[in-house]
Amino acid sequence: MSPHRIVLFGSTLVFYLLIVVAVINTSWLVRLDWQLMFFRPYQQWQELHAFIDYYVVLGQRGPTAVMVAAWLGWRSWRQHTLRPLLMLGTSLLLLNVTVGAAKLSMGREGPHYATVIGSNEMWLTGDIFPSGHTANAVVTWGILAYLASTARTRRYLSALSAVVSLGVGLSTVYLGTHWLSDVLLGWAAGLLILLALPWFEPLVTRAEAWILAQRDRYLPGLRGRATAPAPAGAPPLLPEPGPATEPVLEPVGAAPHGGRTPTHFSTQRYTVRSERSPVTPTGSRRPAHADSATRTGRSTPARPVAGG
């Protein structure tokens, strides 16, 4: 966390608390909320209603999370890292916990359910303070700028996310679903989450290392797991060709299959059967050749040839 980011985080937190105090004390901000509600922007510019009904979806949690997760998932696959998806999950978890807790604890009613003119409509059964659409737009589109790989891309995406989140917040005011103070607090809540993300980087790094370790631990075991035994009478399965199943060449005269396999090949030249002399208990029946001395390395006396 850089000093500049810490200053921004502290300033945004002070702004957040000031909005809450101003609404609780029914200050000028609450009076401004009522003036905008009586103005009814959706009746002043009715031609924009159809467009804003679709535009406000850019702050709805489900569709935006799916779109951004698809993009970050592609980036994770290309970059061989889980950090983009893990940072998105961390930011959405922080958003649900912090904004949800604030909504339920203050229980403010929206403009369509207001009962007492000029009141802050706090501590009732509502859940609109802060604006969830606005905070979600800030976090979901701002995480793209946070994860940008270059400074130039980060500046462009920061400007784009600011415009989108500003438009989503004002769209809810136009439709009459939120007070203006709800939108202001939603902007602050989303910005606080983005500014706090560097504090969660070490946790995300450890989580990524653990997930990859589990993948390396279990996926090879699943690929190498033995198959189920074949039913009786089925032909045996032959192993797939590969480096581990290359046929082993056995030398002539080696032990039969199933016996002891020789550890090395002999360099001795083996003769074929036609070159061997049949040996009997009385000796060889083949007459001696003239080159036998050359082949055996010793000389033998010539025997007389019987006959005429």
Side-chain angles (χ1 to χ4, degrees):
M1 180 74 77
S2 63
H4 177 69
R5 186 178 288 268
I6 292 177
V7 171
L8 286 177
F9 183 85
S11 304
T12 307
L13 181 60
V14 170
F15 179 77
Y16 184 99
L17 297 176
L18 288 177
I19 296 296
V20 174
V21 172
V23 172
I24 291 177
N25 293 330
T26 317
S27 65
W28 61 270
L29 186 57
V30 176
R31 293 193 296 270
L32 180 60
D33 288 339
W34 279 96
Q35 290 175 3
L36 287 175
M37 194 272 284
F38 287 132
F39 182 69
R40 290 180 175 85
Y42 56 89
Q43 293 183 355
Q44 303 298 326
W45 301 286
Q46 297 183 9
E47 63 276 7
L48 298 177
H49 203 292
F51 169 75
I52 292 180
D53 275 339
Y54 288 102
Y55 183 83
V56 79
V57 177
L58 294 177
Q60 194 169 346
R61 193 161 306 167
T64 55
V66 171
M67 290 186 290
V68 175
W71 169 254
L72 294 181
W74 180 81
R75 279 193 55 186
S76 297
W77 178 73
R78 287 292 301 272
Q79 299 175 357
H80 303 284
T81 176
L82 297 177
R83 178 175 175 266
L85 289 177
L86 291 177
M87 293 305 300
L88 175 64
T90 302
S91 62
L92 293 181
L93 180 61
L94 292 174
L95 175 69
N96 292 331
V97 171
T98 57
V99 175
K103 283 174 174 288
L104 297 178
S105 61
M106 290 184 279
R108 191 183 190 189
E109 294 287 356
H112 293 315
Y113 302 96
T115 56
V116 181
I117 297 176
S119 67
N120 56 14
E121 299 295 323
M122 296 283 286
W123 324 119
L124 298 174
T125 59
D127 57 351
I128 66 162
F129 188 62
S131 170
H133 273 67
T134 306
N136 182 73
V138 174
V139 172
T140 306
W141 301 110
I143 195 67
L144 297 179
Y146 179 84
L147 296 172
S149 55
T150 63
R152 183 179 181 181
T153 306
R154 185 176 299 109
R155 287 194 299 268
Y156 288 155
L157 291 178
S158 298
L160 178 62
S161 62
V163 171
V164 172
S165 58
L166 179 64
V168 169
L170 294 180
S171 297
T172 60
V173 176
Y174 169 88
L175 296 173
T177 57
H178 279 288
W179 308 100
L180 179 61
S181 55
D182 299 341
V183 175
L184 294 177
L185 196 66
W187 284 332
L191 187 56
L192 284 175
I193 294 173
L194 289 179
L195 292 174
L197 283 180
W199 282 327
F200 295 89
E201 288 281 359
L203 179 62
V204 169
T205 302
R206 290 195 295 268
E208 181 183 13
W210 182 84
I211 293 174
L212 295 179
Q214 297 305 309
R215 181 202 64 181
D216 296 339
R217 177 182 178 184
Y218 289 106
L219 288 185
L222 292 176
R223 289 195 299 266
R225 182 176 297 177
T227 57
L237 297 178
L238 298 178
E240 298 181 357
T245 58
E246 292 293 335
V248 179
L249 300 178
E250 297 183 356
V252 178
H257 185 70
R260 183 177 177 181
T261 304
T263 57
H264 63 277
F265 291 105
S266 176
T267 59
Q268 180 181 357
R269 179 180 178 273
Y270 291 89
T271 58
V272 296
R273 181 175 298 274
S274 60
E275 298 177 353
R276 299 176 187 172
S277 300
V279 179
T280 61
T282 58
S284 175
R285 294 193 297 246
R286 177 177 298 180
H289 294 276
D291 58 346
S292 60
T294 305
R295 292 205 319 262
T296 58
R298 63 178 182 271
S299 61
T300 55
R303 291 181 300 175
V305 178

